[in-house]
Amino acid sequence: MGLSIGLVGLPNVGKSTTFNALTKAQNAEAANYPFCTIEPNKAIVPVPDVRLQELAKIVNPERIQHSTLDFVDIAGLVKGASKGEGLGNKFLSNIRETEVILHIVRCFEDENIVHTEGNIHPLRDVEIIEGELILADIEVLQNRAERLKKQAKTDKNAAGVLALAEELLEFLAEGNLAKNFPKAESDEYKQLNHEVRLLTGKEIMYGANVDEDGLVEDSQYVLDLKEHAAKNNCELIKLCAKIEEELVGLDDDEAEEFLSSLGVEESGLGQIIQKGFDKLGLMSYFTAGVKEVRAWTIRKNTTAPKAAAVIHNDFEKGFIRAEVISYADFIACGGEAKAKEAGKMRLEGKEYIVQDGDIMHFRFNV
């Protein structure tokens, strides 16, 4: 759907190791020196969803198809990136093309892995990255404000957007993220953000990269980062990138047993993918047949005809109705036939808003 999550962070924080594990392929070189990743690496990652396996137990399909997410591994930023340091302008441009930021932050000690700032200090590291993003936003806003000043002489709408841009510039200059701007829901802000694609206006998730011991008990590093995340209305997910990489070669049962032995219920990367899917405003509906059980990706609050178009444009053009069974009813009844017998299949029209987990058939004119 053209939506992606960009992995950012200082060099040597575990970003490329995380990406390797995410993609289940060792295609992002994890080297112990800055800028080992020069061009952004892109990968399509399946979204874990236990509901697909439960549907498959009933339907027994030939294959299972997951929803997917695009992840982009962006080379490590450094202090001064907004002024072009460390190929900063190129990297900032790559971030601008993504919809959600996953900020990997190092929260573990290891004398064998060099830290570009000399020591471990997660809040300082976050401040460096977010400071560069704020400075980049200030620059593009100042340029836009200059153009708006000329337009505002004859255009009332431009005058309103200019006033908001000047307020936002003050807000950013105080070290705040655009996503927390009090008027972020206003039409003027939305117009401005659409034009300049504010880096700090994006949703942010923090990935606290810890060592094995840190998976069970939070270190002070993690506690500090949690406080910062809560203050900025951001998600924080704890993971050990090296362990996530070890999980790559295991099947589901082995991975579950391994995580259990560490005292962990769920993979950090699994949480990142699922929360990222939600942050992008996405959800899944299902089709379930003997050929395949499949998750189809749509935006939240999508109508039935628009959801049908994800399968094929003709489904929307000739839409008649949708036959819908909720996931809970499908499982409780043991399949489509029994759900229909129990009166759990509904006929929905063009105005129906698809719900997460709906099992659907579409009727349409050719």
Side-chain angles (χ1 to χ4, degrees):
M1 297 186 66
L3 302 175
S4 60
I5 297 173
L7 277 72
V8 306
L10 292 175
N12 301 338
V13 296
K15 192 166 50 59
S16 288
T17 304
T18 301
F19 185 79
N20 287 341
L22 268 169
T23 59
K24 298 194 174 182
Q26 310 306 304
N27 60 354
E29 183 185 9
N32 186 24
Y33 55 90
F35 315 125
C36 63
T37 310
I38 302 301
E39 294 296 329
N41 294 277
K42 299 181 181 180
I44 299 172
V45 182
V47 178
D49 195 330
V50 296
R51 295 176 298 181
L52 288 168
Q53 278 66 40
E54 294 304 310
L55 291 172
K57 288 177 184 177
I58 295 172
V59 179
N60 194 28
E62 294 177 13
R63 60 181 177 271
I64 297 174
Q65 292 278 83
H66 289 254
S67 289
T68 60
L69 270 187
D70 291 352
F71 279 85
V72 182
D73 181 24
I74 298 167
L77 289 168
V78 294
K79 194 180 294 183
S82 60
K83 301 301 180 185
E85 293 294 326
L87 304 180
N89 291 333
K90 183 176 179 61
F91 300 158
L92 291 169
S93 174
N94 291 330
I95 297 170
R96 207 176 296 281
E97 295 306 311
T98 66
E99 301 299 322
V100 171
I101 293 173
L102 171 59
H103 186 169
I104 302 296
V105 186
R106 182 171 164 183
C107 295
F108 67 92
E109 303 275 358
D110 188 334
E111 61 184 18
N112 296 315
I113 302 177
V114 177
H115 193 294
T116 56
E117 295 298 314
N119 66 327
I120 309 304
H121 194 319
L123 291 186
R124 176 207 58 211
D125 296 353
V126 167
E127 186 177 317
I128 289 172
I129 297 293
E130 293 182 351
E132 295 302 326
L133 301 184
I134 288 170
L135 287 172
D137 279 347
I138 287 173
E139 183 177 354
V140 298
L141 267 179
Q142 286 174 334
N143 292 337
R144 184 69 185 119
E146 288 302 314
R147 293 194 295 273
L148 284 167
K149 285 177 184 177
K150 297 175 183 177
Q151 297 172 20
K153 295 175 182 177
T154 57
D155 184 343
K156 289 183 179 180
N157 178 62
V161 177
L162 173 61
L164 183 127
E166 290 174 338
E167 278 188 63
L168 181 54
L169 277 167
E170 289 183 19
F171 186 75
L172 291 171
E174 293 170 355
N176 299 304
L177 304 175
K179 69 186 291 295
N180 295 326
F181 185 52
K183 296 182 180 179
E185 294 302 315
S186 68
D187 291 340
E188 291 83 1
Y189 175 89
K190 290 175 182 177
Q191 178 182 332
L192 193 62
N193 192 25
H194 179 73
E195 292 169 354
V196 300
R197 303 193 69 178
L198 295 163
L199 296 173
T200 64
K202 299 177 186 294
E203 288 286 348
I204 298 174
M205 300 189 296
Y206 297 107
N209 187 16
V210 301
D211 56 19
E212 187 174 318
D213 292 337
L215 281 173
V216 177
E217 187 172 345
D218 288 346
S219 66
Q220 190 59 48
Y221 296 144
V222 172
L223 293 173
D224 290 344
L225 193 56
K226 277 186 175 180
E227 184 178 343
H228 177 82
K231 185 176 71 173
N232 285 285
N233 302 309
C234 298
E235 294 277 0
L236 182 137
I237 299 155
K238 193 165 61 171
L239 73 153
C240 176
K242 294 302 292 183
I243 284 178
E244 296 290 345
E245 207 169 21
E246 289 179 38
L247 291 170
V248 168
L250 305 179
D251 63 30
D252 291 345
D253 290 339
E254 290 173 331
E256 187 177 340
E257 185 178 342
F258 183 31
L259 288 172
S260 180
S261 71
L262 297 171
V264 179
E265 292 184 5
E266 186 178 2
S267 157
L269 292 181
Q271 295 178 62
I272 284 170
I273 297 167
Q274 289 167 333
K275 289 182 185 295
F277 197 67
D278 182 63
K279 289 290 183 185
L280 287 168
L282 303 177
M283 59 178 243
S284 299
Y285 73 86
F286 304 124
T287 51
V290 293
K291 287 290 183 183
E292 69 175 12
V293 164
R294 179 165 184 163
W296 298 89
T297 303
I298 57 173
R299 290 185 180 275
K300 295 173 184 177
N301 299 314
T302 294
T303 60
K306 291 292 183 185
V310 176
I311 299 177
H312 198 289
N313 286 337
D314 288 347
F315 284 21
E316 179 183 9
K317 294 173 184 175
F319 182 89
I320 300 172
R321 66 178 183 272
E323 297 176 354
V324 185
I325 304 172
S326 73
Y327 171 78
D329 287 339
F330 193 97
I331 297 298
C333 294
E336 180 180 319
K338 291 181 180 178
K340 192 171 183 179
E341 287 175 14
K344 299 297 184 181
M345 177 181 282
R346 312 186 310 274
L347 298 180
E348 301 287 1
K350 293 182 178 180
E351 303 303 316
Y352 177 66
I353 303 298
V354 179
Q355 302 300 300
D356 185 44
D358 277 350
I359 290 87
M360 307 186 75
H361 289 298
F362 298 104
R363 302 301 178 194
F364 64 100
N365 288 317
V366 178

